[in-house]
Amino acid sequence: MMQDRHILLAHGNGGRLMRELIDAVFVRHLGNPWLDADADAAAVPLGGTELLLSTDAFTVQPLEFPGGDIGSLAVNGTVNDLAVAGAVPLYLTLNAIIEEGLEVAQLERIVASMAGAARAAAGVVVVAGDTKVVRRGEGGGLYLATTGVGLRSHRAPPGPAGVKEGDRLLVSGPVGDHGIAVLLAREEFGLSGELASDCANVLGLAQALLPLPGLRFMRDPTRGGLATVAHELSRASGRAVALDQAAIPIRPAVQSVCDMLGYDPLYLACEGRILAAVSEDDAPAALAAWRALPEGREAAIVGAVRAGRPGVALRTVLGGERLLQELEDDPLPRIC
Amino acid sequence: MMQDRHILLAHGNGGRLMRELIDAVFVRHLGNPWLDADADAAAVPLGGTELLLSTDAFTVQPLEFPGGDIGSLAVNGTVNDLAVAGAVPLYLTLNAIIEEGLEVAQLERIVASMAGAARAAAGVVVVAGDTKVVRRGEGGGLYLATTGVGLRSHRAPPGPAGVKEGDRLLVSGPVGDHGIAVLLAREEFGLSGELASDCANVLGLAQALLPLPGLRFMRDPTRGGLATVAHELSRASGRAVALDQAAIPIRPAVQSVCDMLGYDPLYLACEGRILAAVSEDDAPAALAAWRALPEGREAAIVGAVRAGRPGVALRTVLGGERLLQELEDDPLPRIC
């Protein structure tokens, strides 16, 4: 049962309130054996084979930002959900809701960027689409939604249920880049910077880990950042997760902006990273496999699954430990 | 090359300007062998089988109206595109873009309605979804996008390329119901009425015609109405189409409202109808098959394909003939 009578921005932030909304409204009425609100992609039988399906809407503002735009985000976001589920993306569908008055030249840049991202993502192609135009004042410039269809390339990782005490948590690169890049691009804070979104497909990173027998779980930390995925893992596995703050890669410039403006990079979106849970035995191989890739050069082991009650603890740089809360409010709406 | 420098409402109306936008921007950058901007659904190979994919976004305003709501529309609209392509819909994905402040109770009604529409549509299930919340003033209450995945149940109709001189055009029921129901629900005109949207799935209607060897083409006349589908057929087949105004079923109440407000029902959206092109020989059987169904009781033969240059002519009730223009401006934005 929803506590709130009206939808709040926080219902879209990837955290607790959004989970409540999804469970209380969407899963309640639409629930069926294949609908798993906790999974990145759905695996469904079709015509003698198994299809993987994933979908996302994109409402990022501004539409273009250093390192990407809503178009490349729309391709990579959906491709990445298929990638971490162990699939190769084959086809995309695309919905565009355009606000009256949008500059055609901007739309063209965004669609061209989408095409480039698709080519880079195993040549995934857009095979169906729809366009709607809404009145000025009833849209956010441009909203996109993509659905991806893929086939498994590897046995699926067992997921949170397969996570064990002693497993290691790895992240493929610095966190919070996307969130900060979008924030700065809004030009509300008068800061310039060379910070760019990490918007990219994670197919190479995923494919590097999928053959490892000790791979338990992978997810791309988008809305709500690393902390949110850590919470999802803890909740779904029923296990305690501990993160080591000093080990988490964060670009110094990202940390500076966060310090200045009061954001915690652990809650800021990434759009080209993977958080993985890997057995203690396979963790070194996983790290090496990632560091061998250009996009994984800064990969790191950032924590572990340990004994104790579910929850996420952060060992701070000062050596103490505190509980990392689940995201409540939305630090940055329309981030992806 | 786009003529306009900014997106206009008319770019979303289903007519000529929308086609230009799709060709000049989307197909230009994203084009590939499977992307057919003129088809209702894409047919793509996957894992040894052939998948049909269709997608649509829904921006109807108001969100609820007599005979339906944005939820049932979102299910039926996408199911119908698969149905007219000769497929049975199996899975849907769902994107919801919610405007801050939307009443939770309204969202619940809409999602419950979606679930009901899905059960009625061969039990199609929603297997993946995403929810975003945008700030007050940056959304239209609620926007939805659905993608449908299906398998062929019958050999695909040949499509416009298979259309021949002498073929008959059939419509499965009265036109313009949806457009007028939404218009009245906006309460801008001070008219009350018992008019309701025809929002429904057309699976039964499609399945009734698919076995006929003389079936050439089927489409659901949504944005831009019957006239727009007639133009699409004419353009894609390169043939002349003639419609018989007196034969086109239109509810008297719909005609009255149109007369009062200056709308032409031939351009108003339907959301539960099919326009079909059938060989002269099979037209009587097609008509009988439709009339045997509750949803096809008022089906009629409304025109024919004839010799001459491409275009759509209308034989009026007065016995004369005039050219039916392709839709330019948007009579009713946010209709579906």
Side-chain angles (χ1 to χ4, degrees):
Chain A
M1 185 79 169
M2 289 277 291
Q3 301 253 4
D4 302 285
R5 294 185 61 193
H6 294 271
I7 298 293
L8 312 169
L9 275 180
H11 285 114
N13 69 358
R16 185 179 68 81
L17 281 172
M18 194 178 88
R19 284 193 297 112
E20 276 182 20
L21 170 66
I22 289 172
D23 288 339
V25 177
F26 291 94
V27 177
R28 176 173 158 228
H29 292 287
L30 298 170
N32 62 79
W34 293 282
L35 180 62
D36 178 357
D38 293 330
D40 288 295
V44 293
L46 188 131
T49 191
E50 189 185 48
L51 217 62
L52 272 85
L53 290 173
S54 181
T55 196
D56 264 313
F58 301 87
T59 60
V60 69
Q61 186 263 330
L63 301 179
E64 296 174 285
F65 43 86
D69 54 68
I70 192 174
S72 54
L73 210 57
V75 169
N76 290 323
T78 288
V79 160
N80 290 351
D81 282 338
L82 290 175
V84 297
V88 174
L90 294 168
Y91 307 111
L92 292 177
T93 68
L94 170 68
N95 285 287
I97 296 175
I98 312 173
E99 186 180 7
E100 182 188 14
L102 183 75
E103 237 194 34
V104 170
Q106 184 174 38
L107 181 64
E108 283 175 326
R109 287 194 300 273
I110 288 165
V111 176
S113 167
M114 204 178 308
R119 281 189 294 272
V124 72
V125 284
V126 174
V127 298
D130 184 61
T131 305
K132 292 290 194 289
V133 179
V134 294
R135 273 200 174 93
R136 213 179 293 268
E138 292 177 356
L142 177 66
Y143 296 141
L144 297 178
T146 46
T147 286
V149 180
L151 284 176
R152 281 199 198 292
S153 59
H154 292 80
R155 174 194 66 95
V163 159
K164 301 183 193 327
E165 204 178 308
D167 284 352
R168 297 298 193 255
L169 300 182
L170 286 78
V171 74
S172 63
V175 301
D177 287 7
H178 176 76
I180 286 299
V182 170
L183 176 67
L184 293 182
R186 287 182 190 170
E187 296 176 308
E188 291 170 19
F189 295 98
L191 295 167
S192 64
E194 292 139 13
L195 292 164
S197 168
D198 56 340
C199 181
N201 76 69
V202 298
L203 283 167
L205 292 166
Q207 295 279 312
L209 294 201
L210 282 162
L212 294 174
L215 175 67
R216 314 290 197 209
F217 166 86
M218 286 191 291
R219 181 155 293 165
D220 52 332
T222 58
R223 269 184 298 180
L226 188 75
T228 296
V229 179
H231 269 283
E232 287 168 4
L233 176 60
S234 174
R235 195 175 46 254
S237 66
R239 296 197 174 275
V241 166
L243 296 174
D244 183 3
Q245 191 174 34
I248 299 172
I250 297 172
R251 299 197 191 290
V254 169
Q255 188 65 58
S256 298
V257 175
C258 284
D259 291 342
M260 260 190 281
L261 301 175
Y263 291 104
D264 186 339
L266 299 187
Y267 293 89
L268 296 183
C270 312
E271 288 289 342
R273 306 287 183 233
I274 292 181
L275 176 73
V278 181
S279 70
E280 193 175 353
D281 287 348
D282 273 351
L287 189 64
W290 272 358
R291 284 189 171 169
L293 298 172
E295 63 267 40
R297 269 181 304 119
E298 294 169 88
I301 296 175
V302 298
V305 176
R306 63 184 190 186
R309 285 180 315 174
V312 180
L314 180 73
R315 174 190 288 257
T316 69
V317 289
L318 301 170
E321 208 175 87
R322 62 176 173 89
L323 276 181
L324 205 60
Q325 296 302 325
E326 195 182 354
L327 187 66
E328 288 287 329
D329 289 328
D330 198 342
L332 284 175
R334 288 191 68 190
I335 202 67
C336 61
Chain B
M1 184 81 169
M2 289 277 290
Q3 301 252 6
D4 302 285
R5 294 184 61 192
H6 294 272
I7 298 294
L8 311 170
L9 275 180
H11 285 114
N13 68 358
R16 186 179 68 82
L17 281 172
M18 194 179 88
R19 282 194 298 112
E20 276 182 21
L21 170 67
I22 289 171
D23 287 339
V25 176
F26 292 93
V27 176
R28 176 173 157 226
H29 292 288
L30 297 170
N32 63 79
W34 294 281
L35 181 62
D36 178 358
D38 292 332
D40 287 295
V44 293
L46 189 130
T49 192
E50 189 186 48
L51 218 61
L52 272 85
L53 290 173
S54 181
T55 197
D56 264 313
F58 300 87
T59 60
V60 68
Q61 187 262 332
L63 301 178
E64 297 173 285
F65 43 85
D69 54 68
I70 193 174
S72 53
L73 210 56
V75 169
N76 290 323
T78 288
V79 160
N80 289 351
D81 282 338
L82 290 175
V84 296
V88 174
L90 294 167
Y91 306 111
L92 291 176
T93 68
L94 170 68
N95 285 287
I97 297 175
I98 312 173
E99 187 181 6
E100 181 189 14
L102 183 76
E103 237 193 35
V104 170
Q106 184 174 36
L107 181 64
E108 284 175 326
R109 285 194 301 272
I110 288 166
V111 176
S113 168
M114 203 179 307
R119 281 190 293 273
V124 71
V125 284
V126 175
V127 298
D130 184 62
T131 305
K132 293 288 194 290
V133 179
V134 294
R135 274 200 173 92
R136 213 179 295 266
E138 292 176 356
L142 177 66
Y143 296 140
L144 297 178
T146 46
T147 286
V149 180
L151 284 175
R152 282 199 195 293
S153 59
H154 293 79
R155 174 195 65 93
V163 159
K164 301 182 193 330
E165 203 177 310
D167 285 350
R168 297 299 193 255
L169 301 181
L170 286 77
V171 73
S172 64
V175 302
D177 287 7
H178 176 76
I180 286 300
V182 170
L183 176 68
L184 292 182
R186 288 182 191 170
E187 296 177 305
E188 292 169 19
F189 295 98
L191 295 167
S192 63
E194 293 138 13
L195 291 163
S197 169
D198 56 340
C199 181
N201 76 69
V202 297
L203 284 167
L205 294 165
Q207 295 279 310
L209 295 201
L210 281 162
L212 295 173
L215 174 66
R216 316 290 198 208
F217 166 87
M218 286 192 292
R219 181 156 292 165
D220 52 332
T222 58
R223 267 183 299 180
L226 188 75
T228 294
V229 179
H231 269 283
E232 289 168 1
L233 176 60
S234 173
R235 195 176 45 254
S237 66
R239 296 197 174 276
V241 167
L243 296 173
D244 182 1
Q245 191 174 33
I248 299 171
I250 298 173
R251 299 196 192 291
V254 170
Q255 188 65 58
S256 297
V257 175
C258 285
D259 290 341
M260 261 189 281
L261 300 175
Y263 290 104
D264 185 339
L266 299 187
Y267 294 89
L268 296 182
C270 311
E271 289 289 342
R273 306 288 183 232
I274 292 180
L275 176 73
V278 182
S279 69
E280 194 175 352
D281 287 347
D282 275 349
L287 188 65
W290 273 359
R291 284 189 169 168
L293 298 172
E295 64 266 40
R297 268 180 307 119
E298 293 169 87
I301 296 175
V302 298
V305 176
R306 65 183 189 186
R309 285 179 315 174
V312 180
L314 181 74
R315 175 190 289 254
T316 68
V317 289
L318 301 170
E321 209 176 85
R322 61 175 173 89
L323 276 181
L324 204 61
Q325 296 301 326
E326 195 181 356
L327 187 66
E328 287 288 328
D329 289 328
D330 198 343
L332 284 174
R334 287 191 68 189
I335 200 70
C336 61

